[in-house]
Amino acid sequence: MLEPITPAVEADAEKPKTRRDAAGTKARILAVATREFASHGFEGATTDDVAAKARVNKRMIYHYFGSKEQLYLEVLEQAYANARGAEARLKLDEADPVAALTRLTEFTFDSFSRDRTFISLLNTENRQKAKVLKKSSRVEDMNSTIMASVDRILQKGAASGAFRKDLDAFQLWISVVGVSYFYFSNIHTLSVIGGRKLDDPALLAQRRRHVVDFVLSAVRP
Amino acid sequence: MLEPITPAVEADAEKPKTRRDAAGTKARILAVATREFASHGFEGATTDDVAAKARVNKRMIYHYFGSKEQLYLEVLEQAYANARGAEARLKLDEADPVAALTRLTEFTFDSFSRDRTFISLLNTENRQKAKVLKKSSRVEDMNSTIMASVDRILQKGAASGAFRKDLDAFQLWISVVGVSYFYFSNIHTLSVIGGRKLDDPALLAQRRRHVVDFVLSAVRP
DNA sequence: AATATAATTCACTCATCAGTTACTTAATAA
DNA sequence: TTATTAAGTAACTGATGAGTGAATTATATT
């Protein structure tokens, strides 16, 4: 029990034990922190766990981010930046209004379906009344782009007679997101209450069809 | 500084200092715990705070509930029971299908508008993959009533020609709840991003109109 | 009045957690 | 080569948090 451990295997091909990699370390912390904050919320996530899972000394978190709250803010900013980036790649302006609205609705559904991390972070942030997001300088104009797109789609649709004319872009956008968001945000409790697994592929496909159909039906004149 | 405190005022009309009130104590703990879990999440809420704010010795929490998790489960069960109770009082079967669906949609919106506690609890529970709700024995059939109501509304509407005939009750119900839920669940982040306070009475009224209009438009044939 | 039971209090433990002090070592530039 | 800077480590602190042991006291029952 008390014999010294013989360093048999570890002695081979020893590169400098600790290669330094500032960017990599910071990125790894951020990636792990995103998972941890999403899974456990701000209060439930611990810097000790983040450090361990990122295979990094805890001190590094404070070296690169200063505090748990600042780390959380950067996680949130990155999540928003990702979402905005994906939206920007959507090219909603080229298609005809019905196709564009369809594409936006499907895109929203598919994004949430693929990864619920952003939903979890948003829920945590809203529980805290967005007190951290309010401190962000990078998040000001994050909505204007998509909002403007929706507005243009609605105008084209109203002009061509494809859509009714009294639609508000902001209200519609919230509804488009909402019908997908609620399904995925509450997928676990809904599954328990409803007695069926809502992440079953067949049910997901049914929901996707319903969501698109629901939105398109609502906007027709 | 070190003189004994003179018990001047407190000496008058002294009823037995600690009146015992099992039901009251338990109810107070539950009420405070509901607020605390909603505000801070399961991990963020503390039994010390619950005890202090309920003006109760911490030991009482363990006396009546056994553990923090069990307390949280009872909070959740009570919240579900309340929601179900309110739904049951709705009497959706008497009105004509359009009126009934309108009433359900408005009721859902108004419930969330009045109090977002239930939303917060649901979000916390979903972050934990409903692991606590799964342990509940009281929650099994909680959905069947409202689900059956929606189904009957849809059948009447389809028969009378007021609604399209291919609607699924479960999918529709999720959409009806979703368009209100997302607005209130994310009211703080949406307010920051959108640059306007979504809990402003004028905006609330606008949202309410939109939601009802959106749902009714979606179901017409 | 004596007894049993349940409500309540006090003082404690042990673990964990955010953040820090003080150091070591690799990479880089002079 | 050496000095400087930045990356990384180890070991700690002080606070707080969930949960408990053991007593005390109010109330109901006999």
Side-chain angles (χ1 to χ4, degrees):
Chain A
M1 280 299 198
L2 286 170
E3 327 153 39
I5 299 142
T6 36
V9 195
E10 58 170 317
D12 70 289
E14 216 140 336
K15 313 146 202 170
K17 231 179 286 176
T18 41
R19 258 291 174 43
R20 293 181 172 200
D21 177 15
T25 299
K26 195 178 176 185
R28 231 158 54 242
I29 292 172
L30 206 59
V32 171
T34 301
R35 279 181 359 230
E36 291 297 301
F37 283 129
S39 309
H40 307 291
F42 176 75
E43 299 93 335
T46 71
T47 54
D48 281 311
D49 275 5
V50 170
K53 290 181 184 174
R55 301 185 321 283
V56 146
N57 190 288
K58 182 164 66 148
R59 199 64 180 83
M60 291 293 94
I61 293 174
Y62 293 89
H63 186 59
Y64 288 115
F65 298 94
S67 70
K68 185 185 179 184
E69 185 171 300
Q70 187 60 34
L71 171 60
Y72 169 76
L73 172 58
E74 294 201 27
V75 162
L76 206 60
E77 285 179 336
Q78 202 195 41
Y80 266 107
N82 285 348
R84 186 182 47 176
E87 273 168 1
R89 269 174 267 116
L90 249 183
K91 303 267 176 69
L92 291 171
D93 293 326
E94 307 185 78
D96 83 294
V98 173
L101 183 57
T102 303
R103 197 187 294 183
L104 172 64
T105 306
E106 289 175 340
F107 164 81
T108 304
F109 184 93
D110 293 340
S111 299
F112 291 148
S113 179
R114 202 176 306 117
D115 178 16
R116 294 195 291 271
T117 302
F118 192 37
I119 288 180
S120 289
L121 293 175
L122 286 176
N123 287 349
T124 286
E125 183 58 9
N126 275 285
R127 213 200 50 231
Q128 310 190 345
K129 308 190 181 201
K131 81 170 166 65
V132 177
L133 189 69
K134 278 177 187 156
K135 293 179 188 163
S136 169
S137 46
R138 293 175 49 198
V139 181
E140 306 291 90
D141 59 304
M142 280 205 171
N143 206 33
S144 46
T145 316
I146 184 73
M147 223 60 254
S149 285
V150 174
D151 200 49
R152 250 173 281 121
I153 294 172
L154 285 184
Q155 259 157 27
K156 271 194 249 174
S160 75
F163 299 161
R164 38 199 294 213
K165 297 185 201 303
D166 59 346
L167 292 165
D168 176 75
F170 187 57
Q171 296 296 339
L172 177 67
W173 176 77
I174 291 182
S175 296
V176 167
V177 177
V179 289
S180 288
Y181 191 97
F182 176 64
Y183 186 89
F184 289 108
S185 165
N186 291 47
I187 196 162
H188 295 108
T189 54
L190 289 174
S191 292
V192 172
I193 299 290
R196 31 183 159 168
K197 294 204 167 294
L198 299 208
D199 56 359
D200 171 89
L203 265 183
L204 282 175
Q206 190 198 352
R207 181 69 197 165
R208 192 177 191 267
R209 268 181 272 116
H210 167 89
V211 158
V212 173
D213 182 61
F214 193 76
V215 169
L216 291 180
S217 300
V219 298
R220 79 212 133 114
Chain B
M1 281 297 198
L2 287 170
E3 328 155 37
I5 299 142
T6 36
V9 195
E10 57 170 316
D12 70 288
E14 217 139 334
K15 312 148 203 170
K17 232 179 285 174
T18 41
R19 259 291 175 45
R20 291 178 175 204
D21 177 14
T25 298
K26 195 178 177 185
R28 232 158 53 242
I29 292 172
L30 206 59
V32 172
T34 301
R35 275 174 10 223
E36 291 296 304
F37 284 129
S39 309
H40 307 290
F42 177 76
E43 299 94 333
T46 71
T47 54
D48 281 310
D49 274 5
V50 171
K53 290 180 184 173
R55 301 183 322 282
V56 146
N57 190 288
K58 182 164 64 148
R59 200 67 176 78
M60 291 292 93
I61 293 175
Y62 294 89
H63 185 60
Y64 288 117
F65 298 94
S67 69
K68 185 184 179 183
E69 184 171 301
Q70 186 61 32
L71 172 60
Y72 169 76
L73 172 57
E74 295 201 26
V75 163
L76 206 60
E77 284 178 336
Q78 202 194 42
Y80 265 108
N82 284 348
R84 186 183 48 177
E87 273 168 359
R89 267 174 268 117
L90 250 181
K91 303 268 176 71
L92 291 172
D93 293 326
E94 307 185 78
D96 82 294
V98 174
L101 183 57
T102 303
R103 197 188 293 184
L104 172 64
T105 306
E106 290 175 340
F107 164 81
T108 304
F109 184 93
D110 293 340
S111 299
F112 291 147
S113 179
R114 202 176 304 118
D115 179 16
R116 295 194 291 272
T117 302
F118 193 37
I119 287 180
S120 290
L121 292 175
L122 287 176
N123 287 349
T124 286
E125 182 58 8
N126 275 285
R127 212 199 51 229
Q128 311 190 349
K129 308 193 182 197
K131 81 169 167 62
V132 178
L133 190 68
K134 278 178 186 155
K135 292 179 188 163
S136 169
S137 46
R138 294 174 49 198
V139 181
E140 308 290 271
D141 59 304
M142 280 205 170
N143 205 34
S144 46
T145 316
I146 185 72
M147 223 60 251
S149 285
V150 174
D151 201 49
R152 251 173 281 122
I153 294 172
L154 285 184
Q155 260 157 26
K156 270 195 252 175
S160 76
F163 299 161
R164 39 199 295 212
K165 297 183 201 304
D166 60 346
L167 292 165
D168 176 73
F170 187 57
Q171 296 296 338
L172 177 68
W173 176 77
I174 291 181
S175 296
V176 167
V177 177
V179 288
S180 288
Y181 191 97
F182 177 63
Y183 186 88
F184 289 109
S185 165
N186 291 46
I187 195 162
H188 296 108
T189 53
L190 289 175
S191 292
V192 172
I193 300 290
R196 31 184 160 168
K197 294 204 167 293
L198 298 208
D199 56 359
D200 172 89
L203 265 182
L204 282 175
Q206 191 198 352
R207 181 68 196 166
R208 193 176 190 267
R209 268 181 272 115
H210 167 89
V211 158
V212 173
D213 182 62
F214 193 75
V215 169
L216 292 179
S217 300
V219 298
R220 80 210 132 115

